[in-house]
Amino acid sequence: MELTLYNSLHREKNVFTPMNPKRVTMYNCGPTVYSYAHIGNARAAVVADILFRVLRHIYGEDHVVYARNITDVDDKIIAAAKEQGVPISEITKKYAKIYQDDLAALNCLPPTTEPKATEHIGGMIALIETLIKDGYAYESDGHVFFDVSKYDEYGKLSGNTLDALKKGDRVGEGEVARKKRAADFVLWKPELDGVGWDAPFGKGRPGWHIECSAMAKSELGETIDIHCGGVDLKFPHHENEIAQSNCAHGKPMANYWVHNEFLNMAKRDGSSDKMSKSLGNVVLIRDLLEEWDGEVIRLALLKAHYRSELVWSEELLKESKAQLDGWYREIKKYRDVEFEPLAYNHPIFNDLNTIESLVIFNDFDFLTGAAKQTANLLGLLQKKPEEWFRGKGKAGGLTDAEIDELIAERSTARTDKNWARSDEIRDIFKAENIVLEDSKDGTTWRRG
Ligand code: AMP
Ligand code: ZN
């Protein structure tokens, strides 16, 4: 089975060949945990999850190692902790758990490993020491900077040239004064509000980029097969990861770079903006899960190829819900279908073409195991139809257990010919929009 992937580094689609098919490695830049994740973040996680599922399908579940880090030290986290008067770990633990739960609700498999930045400070310090020793980095007033002029290939991934970089600078004034040139980036900075670790270059905390280089090395190795993330990370984050890792190890950081496009919010004038906290146009995964099943949100996220922008709307959710209802009705007819190996030319193996993969369902014959296998690769249709049609209980409405109890009571009432109670229960269900389906095997129910 052959997987082709668009490699952002070479700007072309290549056949994916792992270094070792018994241990295929992928790294995905995870969240900075100081607030709730939005569905733009979810898109990046779902794309990586599909890739993980496809790799597991091809190479075997035990032969793929997926690391998704947690950035649990960062200026925004430190600021939030200071404001709330709590240690940073209180904030990071809370939001890391929320992130994991949100993604689990979207049927994302847990990554093989979830390294935390604060547990890899030693590895970061060691990398920085190597970079200083080999002349790629320099110390300046409690900071350590990477000297981009020492790395010839700097800018290769993002297409930025050093000249262009001189014009724009993305760091604070203070750092600019300490750097040799605008494009140099920080590897280590002094302690902030009591958050710092001892290091040969002074007590301090890591820059964001070095965190991923150290965690990828420690969890996966000096060269990994696939590195993923959103296109916004190409520059400067991934460019800097490449520079640090390549210079420290003398070999490529990753052989394939896979970047997902943005999830954008539609605007009234017909244009759209990237969903981001700084623009204040975010829709939180957590809020959507109040109203929609995780699979509905996941399907909505798969409605554009990962390298195309996805314009988010309520319509997309409604359409996804209707489609899933239809597909679950089909599955109800065909149970216990055996898996068939996927056809060699399945669209998912062509640069993760989810759009064409979804078409397979439209004309679906659930008697074909290939459709079921496709559902597993897409992480959709993972529930039992009965469970799906029960839907999500609304706050204040009857719980699943209460409904089951009332059904049992209705059955007893009928046996006892207590028609008054039986009618009463029927009316309760009607008011709550719960539909009962009686059959010879008993009564099932769903939220209408
Ligand atoms: P952040 O917490 O901003 O570092 O983002 C975590 C992941 O979500 C990264 O892979 C980002 O590239 C990705 N991401 C952030 N915003 C969006 C967006 N609007 N659309 C798609 N991916 C995004
Ligand atoms: Zn990263």
Side-chain angles (χ1 to χ4, degrees), residues 40-59:
N41 303 134
R43 184 179 195 199
V46 166
V47 167
D49 181 64
I50 300 249
L51 179 56
F52 183 39
R53 286 169 181 265
V54 168
L55 293 173
R56 282 158 55 105
H57 177 82
I58 300 175
Y59 299 99

Side-chain angles (χ1 to χ4, degrees), residues 222-269:
E222 292 185 350
T223 300
I224 58 183
D225 287 308
I226 307 174
H227 194 313
C228 7
V231 276
D232 53 332
L233 299 188
K234 255 191 194 176
F235 183 83
H237 185 54
H238 291 163
E239 198 73 75
N240 294 350
E241 280 187 34
I242 291 175
Q244 299 158 160
S245 295
N246 285 27
C247 292
H249 306 135
K251 43 180 94 144
M253 176 182 196
N255 290 331
Y256 295 80
W257 287 82
V258 171
H259 288 104
N260 66 275
E261 253 306 330
F262 288 141
L263 180 145
N264 291 334
M265 276 308 256
K267 291 204 295 185
R268 287 222 168 108
D269 64 5

Side-chain angles (χ1 to χ4, degrees), residues 27-30 69 71 208-209 211-213 227-228 233 237-238 241:
Y27 184 90
N28 184 21
C29 297
N69 76 289
T71 294
W208 173 36
H209 318 303
E211 294 181 2
C212 285
S213 284
H227 194 313
C228 7
L233 299 188
H237 185 54
H238 291 163
E241 280 187 34

Side-chain angles (χ1 to χ4, degrees), residues 160-176:
N160 279 313
T161 61
L162 273 187
D163 279 347
L165 294 176
K166 274 185 196 139
K167 296 188 189 113
D169 199 283
R170 291 164 176 252
V171 290
E173 295 280 309
E175 281 183 12
V176 176

Side-chain angles (χ1 to χ4, degrees), residues 317-330:
L317 287 163
K318 287 185 186 151
E319 186 186 296
S320 302
K321 166 82 167 63
Q323 265 175 316
L324 280 161
D325 281 344
W327 295 338
Y328 270 109
R329 253 176 243 123
E330 289 292 324

Side-chain angles (χ1 to χ4, degrees), residues 251-303:
K251 43 180 94 144
M253 176 182 196
N255 290 331
Y256 295 80
W257 287 82
V258 171
H259 288 104
N260 66 275
E261 253 306 330
F262 288 141
L263 180 145
N264 291 334
M265 276 308 256
K267 291 204 295 185
R268 287 222 168 108
D269 64 5
S271 63
S272 64
D273 277 334
K274 175 195 169 190
M275 178 174 289
S276 75
K277 275 185 213 128
S278 54
L279 289 175
N281 60 356
V282 298
V283 177
L284 304 179
I285 307 173
R286 181 109 318 193
D287 290 341
L288 283 183
L289 284 170
E290 288 280 319
E291 195 181 342
W292 303 94
D293 188 280
E295 285 197 8
V296 173
I297 304 170
R298 185 173 174 109
L299 176 58
L301 290 171
L302 295 181
K303 282 181 169 286

